Amino acid sequence: MVDIGGVSVLSSNVGEFVALFDASVTAQQPMKVAFLNANLFNFTRSDPFVRDILREFTVLNDGVGLNLASVILKGAVFPANMNGTDLIPIVLSRTTHRLRIFLMGSKPSSVQRASEVISAMWPQHTVVGCQDGYYEQGEEEEIVERIKSSNPDLVLVGLGNPRQELWIAKHIPYACPRAFAVGGLFDFVSGEVPRAPAALRALNLEWLFRLLYEPLRLWRRYLLGIPVFIARVTGEAVGRASRWGKRI
C-alpha cells in the first residue's frame, strides 16, 4: 500500500488485481473499487467525508499524477497505471467467472450502447440492465431496488468523481456485492468520446488529449486541479520530512 495524503492506494499490477477480484467473487465477499487520480484526490481534501469512505474501498492508482505522488512520497513509481478505462476490459477478459453486470451512469445513449458493446465483446458475461446517470434524486431508491432485483455480480458505476464513489459507499453491498467506480468508461466503450492515440497514452499524455477534446468541461480539472494536486502532495512530503526530522 502507498499512503497518498491519507488514502491507502494498492500497489499492484494487473494480474495481481484480477486474482484479487476473482478471489472476492469465489469467496462471495463484497468489493468496492475506486481509482484515485488527481481530481478525486482533490475532492478528498475539500471534503473529508470522501476521504473517509475510501477506507472501505480497494483504491487503485490512475494516471501520471499518482505516479508522481508516489515518487515524491515513497521514492518509487507504481508497478502499473491501473486506470479503469484500460483495466475493466482486462478484468472482463481474464476473470475466471461468468459475471452478471449492471451498468450505471453516463448519458442514455452512451450507457445503452456500452451495454451492447460489452455484450458483444464479452459474451461469457451477461449485462442484466443499465441506467443512465440523469435521474432525479427521488428516483434513486427505486433504481437501487431494480439493480438488486437483477441480481448482478458487479455494478460498473460511471457517475463522475465523487458522485460515483458516494453512490457505491451508500448502496454496496446492498444492491450488489461488488462495484467499480469507472468514470467515463461508457463514453469510451460506446465510441461517443474518442480515446487518445496509443502513442499519447504511452507517453502519459492522455490528459492533454482529453483537455483539447473537451476544453470547456475539463480545463478546470487539469489546468487548475493538477497544480493544486502537486502542491498538496509536495506539502505532504515536506510535512512528513519535518515530522521525521523531529523524531530523529
Side-chain angles (χ1 to χ4, degrees):
M1 291 288 184
V2 180
D3 185 321
I4 306 291
V7 180
S8 294
V9 183
L10 182 67
S11 181
S12 73
N13 59 39
V14 171
E16 290 168 342
F17 176 77
V18 173
L20 183 67
F21 173 78
D22 274 358
S24 80
V25 179
T26 299
Q28 299 183 352
Q29 293 177 336
M31 188 178 200
K32 306 174 186 180
V33 178
F35 297 88
L36 188 69
N37 53 24
N39 188 52
L40 180 55
F41 177 85
N42 286 338
F43 277 114
T44 69
R45 287 302 180 90
S46 60
D47 186 351
F49 181 69
V50 176
R51 181 196 61 212
D52 291 343
I53 66 168
L54 289 179
R55 294 182 179 134
E56 305 171 2
F57 284 66
T58 299
V59 181
L60 302 176
N61 59 293
D62 177 1
V64 65
L66 267 291
N67 254 349
L68 178 60
S70 184
V71 169
I72 293 172
L73 295 171
K74 188 184 177 185
V77 299
F78 283 99
N81 180 11
M82 304 287 280
N83 73 85
T85 305
D86 292 324
L87 181 63
I88 302 304
I90 295 173
V91 171
L92 296 182
S93 297
R94 295 188 186 178
T95 179
T96 58
H97 297 278
R98 295 180 179 271
L99 303 173
R100 294 171 59 83
I101 305 169
F102 195 101
L103 310 186
M104 172 79 181
S106 193
K107 297 182 295 186
S109 58
S110 289
V111 71
Q112 180 60 47
R113 177 58 181 154
S115 71
E116 295 166 0
V117 172
I118 290 172
S119 296
M121 292 188 67
W122 295 280
Q124 68 271 36
H125 306 306
T126 303
V127 177
V128 295
C130 62
Q131 167 65 47
D132 67 80
Y134 293 83
Y135 59 85
E136 299 296 329
Q137 187 60 37
E139 300 175 278
E140 184 162 291
E141 291 305 320
E142 180 183 343
I143 292 168
V144 169
E145 292 302 325
R146 180 158 59 88
I147 294 171
K148 181 178 174 60
S149 66
S150 69
N151 194 31
D153 302 299
L154 174 66
V155 180
L156 303 180
V157 185
L159 297 172
N161 304 130
R163 185 183 170 201
Q164 59 194 13
E165 290 80 17
L166 293 170
W167 191 96
I168 291 171
K170 183 178 180 181
H171 298 299
I172 303 300
Y174 173 77
C176 176
R178 283 154 226 97
F180 287 13
V182 299
L185 175 70
F186 305 147
D187 293 332
F188 295 127
V189 170
S190 67
E192 293 208 10
V193 175
R195 289 291 307 273
L200 285 181
R201 297 203 301 270
L203 293 171
N204 294 314
L205 291 175
E206 185 165 17
W207 67 270
L208 179 59
F209 178 87
R210 293 191 65 194
L211 174 61
L212 294 174
Y213 185 78
E214 298 182 275
L216 293 179
R217 187 174 75 86
L218 296 176
W219 73 269
R220 187 181 299 274
R221 175 188 299 187
Y222 291 126
L223 298 185
L224 298 182
I226 290 177
V228 168
F229 167 74
I230 293 173
R232 284 170 167 165
V233 169
T234 302
E236 174 77 12
V238 171
R240 290 184 186 183
S242 176
R243 291 192 294 272
W244 177 253
K246 288 179 180 179
R247 285 197 294 269
I248 293 177

